[in-house]
Amino acid sequence: TIDATTITGITPEETVVSYFEKNNFNFAKLIINVKDLTYGQYQSSEVLLVHDGLDVRITEYALVYTTPNPLATFTATIESSNVVIKASASSSNNTINILRFLN
């Protein structure tokens, strides 16, 4: 399964940016692009995720950004029957584009 989504206004508080049913997929690859609309800064990375129904393992790589520090960070957990990916951003005026591959 391949899909794309755009989310705006991610804050420093963790916000859900993607989720899927844990029983349907065990692997995910996300290509994530972040744009800070206030300062015109950018970040791009790839996230790989795998889970066994109880624990989620996530790694972010190919991380590049135009600022001294990343614009956003990502985590993943299992909540009820879903694998949930969350983001925390350094500002509230941003756009996050996610291209997601599920297997």
Side-chain angles (χ1 to χ4, degrees):
T1 300
I2 300 172
D3 58 27
T5 188
T6 300
I7 302 109
T8 59
I10 304 302
T11 67
E13 300 284 325
E14 282 193 326
T15 304
V16 175
V17 294
S18 183
Y19 67 91
F20 58 90
E21 280 195 44
K22 70 178 183 178
N23 293 331
N24 291 344
F25 303 101
N26 291 90
F27 308 95
K29 178 178 182 173
L30 296 92
I31 299 173
I32 303 172
N33 296 308
V34 182
K35 180 179 181 182
D36 183 312
L37 300 172
T38 300
Y39 300 105
Q41 300 294 324
Y42 303 92
Q43 171 182 323
S44 184
S45 67
E46 293 186 31
V47 171
L48 286 180
L49 175 149
V50 63
H51 77 88
D52 63 4
L54 299 173
D55 296 310
V56 180
R57 302 287 187 249
I58 184 172
T59 188
E60 184 174 12
Y61 63 99
L63 176 60
V64 292
Y65 41 90
T66 60
T67 56
N69 297 307
L71 297 173
T73 58
F74 301 92
T75 61
T77 59
I78 292 180
E79 297 180 9
S80 187
S81 62
N82 292 315
V83 175
V84 177
I85 298 110
K86 296 180 181 179
S88 297
S90 56
S91 80
S92 297
N93 191 18
N94 55 64
T95 299
I96 296 178
N97 294 305
I98 299 174
L99 179 58
R100 185 176 74 166
F101 303 83
L102 299 174
N103 187 348

